[in-house]
Amino acid sequence: MKKVTSSLLLLMFPLLVGLSGCLPKLDETEEVITWEHFATGFIEKPTFIVAQDYGTGLLWVYSTQIVRGQKGGTFKDCVSIFDESQRPHVAKYAETFGDKVDKPFTYKGLVRNGGASVPLHFYYATPVSSITITSDIAWSKSLPAGSDLASEFAYFTGCSDRFAKEHEKYSPKEPPSDFPIRNVAYKEILRRNFANQSSATEILYGKLSDLDLTSRDYVGISTVFMILGTDNAEYRKPQTLTVKMTFRDGQTATMKLRLNQYGKGPWM
């Protein structure tokens, strides 16, 4: 259990950094937020990973993954400003979304407190329009095997559209008093991230069946795209979940996850 908990904390760290990296202006010594601080890169291929955390029971949907090499790590299927030669390519994607890119890639008037962590952002070059989850077992009489389980899952994710496009900041909001599910781990992650919310990041949460991504371009924080939880007792049974993403250009990506089957993963 200690190993799983430590692993979860390591995985949550980039998410929390991503949410808290951009801070409102506090004094006159702050530097201007440059494009590097925001648009780190775009994922060109419709790929993702789903993993179950056995410590919390939550599903983590990753928009990208790190590929380790001799000289360090690279992000799979991404164009990134970490590689200077890719900078014009990344700018092209940003401008496609209506991002106001000013040479030399500086968001005028936006500042961050000196020493604050720089957030790590990756977004799909073609944004996601919908997400469905199905199981190979029945969850109820009204949800036989193969049914869309979106109504059974609560989601948590983040969005930076206004920060990218309008140069406006979100004001930190109070933690919610109502939650879409009773799952304790989900509630704790939601509360914690509201407490660490960036002034430039909107937290999106609710039932997956109510999630509307059709007008959201910059959804996804760090390497974590979404966290999903459920109260349905059937979720705890061994089964295979199929998660499918549909993108605006009509492409789809699908991943199967062996749920509650230790060692048959992926899991955390």
Side-chain angles (χ1 to χ4, degrees):
M1 177 61 71
K2 182 180 291 184
K3 182 178 180 180
V4 172
T5 302
S6 299
S7 175
L8 176 61
L9 290 173
L10 288 173
L11 286 164
M12 287 181 62
F13 177 73
L15 173 70
L16 298 177
V17 168
L19 281 172
S20 59
C22 297
L23 301 176
K25 186 173 182 179
L26 298 177
D27 56 50
E28 298 301 323
T29 64
E30 297 159 339
E31 62 183 297
V32 173
I33 291 182
T34 64
W35 188 60
E36 288 93 328
H37 293 137
F38 174 70
T40 307
F42 288 89
I43 307 161
E44 295 192 293
K45 295 183 179 180
T47 59
F48 68 97
I49 300 171
V50 181
Q52 179 188 15
D53 175 57
Y54 287 153
T56 64
L58 300 174
L59 291 183
W60 291 57
V61 182
Y62 295 87
S63 56
T64 186
Q65 61 179 311
I66 297 178
V67 179
R68 297 295 180 184
Q70 292 183 345
K71 297 182 179 181
T74 59
F75 289 93
K76 185 177 180 181
D77 301 324
C78 287
V79 293
S80 168
I81 62 169
F82 292 144
D83 182 344
E84 289 297 317
S85 66
Q86 294 181 333
R87 188 184 291 256
H89 200 173
V90 178
K92 179 181 178 180
Y93 284 133
E95 290 170 347
T96 298
F97 291 152
D99 194 350
K100 297 178 181 179
V101 179
D102 300 312
K103 293 181 180 181
F105 307 117
T106 299
Y107 283 101
K108 297 178 180 178
L110 292 178
V111 294
R112 72 182 181 101
N113 182 259
S117 300
V118 175
L120 193 61
H121 297 275
F122 288 92
Y123 304 96
Y124 286 104
T126 301
V128 178
S129 59
S130 65
I131 300 172
T132 60
I133 302 176
T134 59
S135 174
D136 62 346
I137 67 170
W139 278 34
S140 68
K141 289 183 179 180
S142 61
L143 293 171
S147 299
D148 184 4
L149 301 174
S151 62
E152 302 302 301
F153 281 92
Y155 68 89
F156 159 81
T157 187
C159 179
S160 303
D161 276 39
R162 286 181 62 186
F163 176 73
K165 296 179 178 181
E166 303 176 23
H167 299 187
E168 293 182 6
K169 299 179 181 180
Y170 287 98
S171 299
K173 302 176 180 66
E174 292 295 322
S177 58
D178 59 323
F179 295 88
I181 58 175
R182 297 186 303 275
N183 184 287
V184 175
Y186 176 88
K187 287 183 178 181
E188 180 57 29
I189 286 180
L190 194 57
R191 285 196 187 99
R192 188 178 303 164
N193 281 281
F194 262 95
N196 292 280
Q197 182 183 3
S198 163
S199 61
T201 303
E202 180 184 13
I203 293 178
L204 307 179
Y205 71 97
K207 285 295 183 75
L208 183 59
S209 55
D210 298 330
L211 179 61
D212 181 10
L213 292 175
T214 56
S215 62
R216 304 283 188 172
D217 293 332
Y218 293 102
V219 174
I221 297 177
S222 186
T223 55
V224 178
F225 176 76
M226 187 172 293
I227 299 172
L228 299 163
T230 181
D231 293 329
N232 196 308
E234 300 301 309
Y235 176 79
R236 295 194 290 270
K237 295 181 179 179
Q239 60 193 286
T240 298
L241 291 184
T242 300
V243 181
K244 180 181 178 181
M245 286 189 188
T246 301
F247 295 79
R248 290 184 195 172
D249 61 1
Q251 293 189 83
T252 61
T254 303
M255 181 177 176
K256 294 184 181 294
L257 171 69
R258 291 179 176 177
L259 199 66
N260 305 313
Q261 300 176 59
Y262 293 79
K264 298 180 181 180
W267 65 285
M268 300 185 297

